[in-house]
Amino acid sequence: MIDDLNTPSRRRLLGVAGAGAAALAAPAALLGAPAQAQNKALTLLNVSYDPTRELYKDINAAYAAYWKRRTGQTITINQSHGGSGRQARSVIDGLQADVVTLALASDIDEIAAKAKLLPANWQSRLPNNSTPYTSTIVFLVRKGNPWKIRDWGDLIKPGIGVITPNPKTSGGARWNYLAAWAWALKQPGGSPATAQAFVEKLFRQVPVLDTGARGSTTTFAQRRLGDVLLAWENEAYLSFDEFGPNFDIVYPSLSILAEPPVAIVDKVVDRRKTRTLAEGYLNFLYSPLAQDLIGKHHYRPRDPAALAKYAKTLPKLPMATINDTFGGWKKAQALHFSDGGVFDKIYRPR
């Protein structure tokens, strides 16, 4: 029965295999499962952040086809999207996610700490601290770049409207904020005080804070509010696909290495008997097929071959990291984004 798919001996197949091989090992183990287990449809819920809709639509289809081909079993992978912080709170409040694929590690840490749905060491269970791809923050400007925006310092010129989501609800917005802070910190004479002053000036240029990255893209591209969008790299490219060649992408002199992590929600998969399916799904993200889809959707693959294939649209640039500049997510979250933190002190709603 379905319980048979989640015995320790079968789970160990995922633990001992490499990341790419594990995606193959788990379904192969199911070939001997009873017919009723193979024929019964299973579902997974992937709770993700705003800009991943298109990416996971393709990955879900590829994984479902692979699973069907290897086991004869039909699976359905459902998606939930929103600002990363808001999505984490939904899981804490009871949304039954089998897996979470969120914008930053601190959101999954919150699920572990507050709801005890997965262990605190969840990042040790998959390669690269459970981040199968990376991204970075770029500027999306109107076609022809009428304000001649080249770097972070240009964003505080009088009259420029900057569009970014709310760091209290959006993981992408926190990456935006920290990228701006890191740039200011590295300027001549830079210090935490000058960085804070710069970010405060930056947010004075922001006319509205949407709750998530996709909402900010809509505000900028469809509502045509603002002059520059602080965007995930993949979201900037998506604007070309969705709205035509009405924009330019500007890469600043320094950005940040964004590492969106993934994790199994242990208590949910154990209750729903979906652990093997969920583990296979997350391991599949490291497979050559999924890594190619990741690059196709303008995320930065971990696989060197896939990264090289898409290098023309994923150029190298200097990047700060959350560890070297901010001392890790736990420290950054507490200092900048907790209630009463730096962001609350510098941002004054209009």
Side-chain angles (χ1 to χ4, degrees), residues 220-258:
F220 181 74
Q222 287 188 317
R223 296 175 58 198
R224 298 192 62 79
L225 188 63
D227 304 292
V228 56
L229 173 70
L230 304 186
W232 292 99
E233 184 176 36
N234 62 285
E235 190 78 353
Y237 277 103
L238 179 68
S239 297
F240 293 148
D241 298 334
E242 292 289 318
F243 305 109
N246 299 315
F247 310 100
D248 292 326
I249 294 176
V250 174
Y251 282 84
S253 64
L254 176 77
S255 193
I256 194 163
L257 178 66

Side-chain angles (χ1 to χ4, degrees), residues 104-107 109-110 167-168 174-175 177-179 181 256 321-344:
L104 35 85
S106 63
D107 286 333
D109 285 338
E110 286 285 290
K168 302 290 280 192
R174 275 172 269 179
W175 288 117
Y177 171 109
L178 294 176
W181 186 286
I256 194 163
T321 74
I322 192 69
N323 290 327
D324 67 16
T325 306
F326 300 97
W329 263 114
K330 185 176 182 180
K331 184 176 180 179
Q333 177 68 27
L335 176 63
H336 293 277
F337 309 116
S338 62
D339 291 342
V342 174
F343 177 73
D344 285 348

Side-chain angles (χ1 to χ4, degrees), residues 17-36:
L24 307 179
L30 299 179
L31 295 178
Q36 61 267 40

Side-chain angles (χ1 to χ4, degrees), residues 51-262:
T52 61
R53 292 169 174 84
E54 295 77 16
L55 170 65
Y56 281 111
K57 180 181 179 182
D58 281 358
I59 284 178
N60 293 349
Y63 184 63
Y66 170 74
W67 190 275
K68 178 75 171 181
R69 196 165 58 245
R70 294 303 299 269
T71 71
Q73 190 174 46
T74 299
I75 62 172
T76 300
I77 305 167
N78 298 312
Q79 290 291 131
S80 172
H81 296 275
S84 187
R86 176 173 287 187
Q87 291 291 82
R89 284 191 289 275
S90 294
V91 175
I92 291 168
D93 291 341
L95 182 60
Q96 295 295 291
D98 297 278
V99 299
V100 288
T101 57
L102 296 178
L104 35 85
S106 63
D107 286 333
I108 303 180
D109 285 338
E110 286 285 290
I111 298 171
K114 293 185 176 179
K116 310 297 184 184
L117 295 176
L118 69 164
N121 69 341
W122 60 270
Q123 279 193 285
S124 67
R125 301 193 293 189
L126 286 169
N128 305 115
N129 289 322
S130 292
T131 56
Y133 50 87
T134 68
S135 189
T136 194
I137 302 303
V138 301
F139 305 158
L140 190 68
V141 299
R142 307 292 176 192
K143 189 66 178 178
N145 194 6
W147 282 93
K148 307 303 179 188
I149 293 168
R150 301 299 179 200
D151 211 347
W152 292 97
D154 297 325
L155 302 184
I156 61 172
K157 292 178 180 177
I160 291 182
V162 178
I163 303 300
T164 182
N166 188 340
K168 302 290 280 192
T169 56
S170 166
R174 275 172 269 179
W175 288 117
N176 293 347
Y177 171 109
L178 294 176
W181 186 286
W183 176 86
L185 198 61
K186 292 181 183 296
Q187 298 313 295
S191 67
T194 63
Q196 180 171 327
F198 172 75
V199 174
E200 183 172 0
K201 290 178 182 177
L202 176 63
F203 274 89
R204 289 178 189 163
Q205 311 286 104
V206 178
V208 61
L209 288 178
D210 293 290
T211 59
R214 185 56 55 88
S216 286
T217 300
T218 299
T219 293
F220 181 74
Q222 287 188 317
R223 296 175 58 198
R224 298 192 62 79
L225 188 63
D227 304 292
V228 56
L229 173 70
L230 304 186
W232 292 99
E233 184 176 36
N234 62 285
E235 190 78 353
Y237 277 103
L238 179 68
S239 297
F240 293 148
D241 298 334
E242 292 289 318
F243 305 109
N246 299 315
F247 310 100
D248 292 326
I249 294 176
V250 174
Y251 282 84
S253 64
L254 176 77
S255 193
I256 194 163
L257 178 66
E259 298 180 291
V262 304

Side-chain angles (χ1 to χ4, degrees), residues 273-338:
K273 311 300 182 186
T274 55
R275 178 175 287 274
T276 297
L277 184 63
E279 287 182 335
Y281 179 68
L282 293 189
N283 276 288
F284 182 75
L285 297 177
Y286 293 86
S287 70
L289 173 57
Q291 289 285 298
D292 186 76
L293 290 173
I294 285 164
K296 177 183 175 182
H297 285 275
H298 307 291
Y299 294 83
R300 294 180 176 238
R302 292 292 193 179
D303 178 65
L307 183 60
K309 178 178 177 180
Y310 295 100
K312 287 185 179 180
T313 59
L314 302 171
K316 293 182 179 180
L317 76 161
M319 297 186 197
T321 74
I322 192 69
N323 290 327
D324 67 16
T325 306
F326 300 97
W329 263 114
K330 185 176 182 180
K331 184 176 180 179
Q333 177 68 27
L335 176 63
H336 293 277
F337 309 116
S338 62

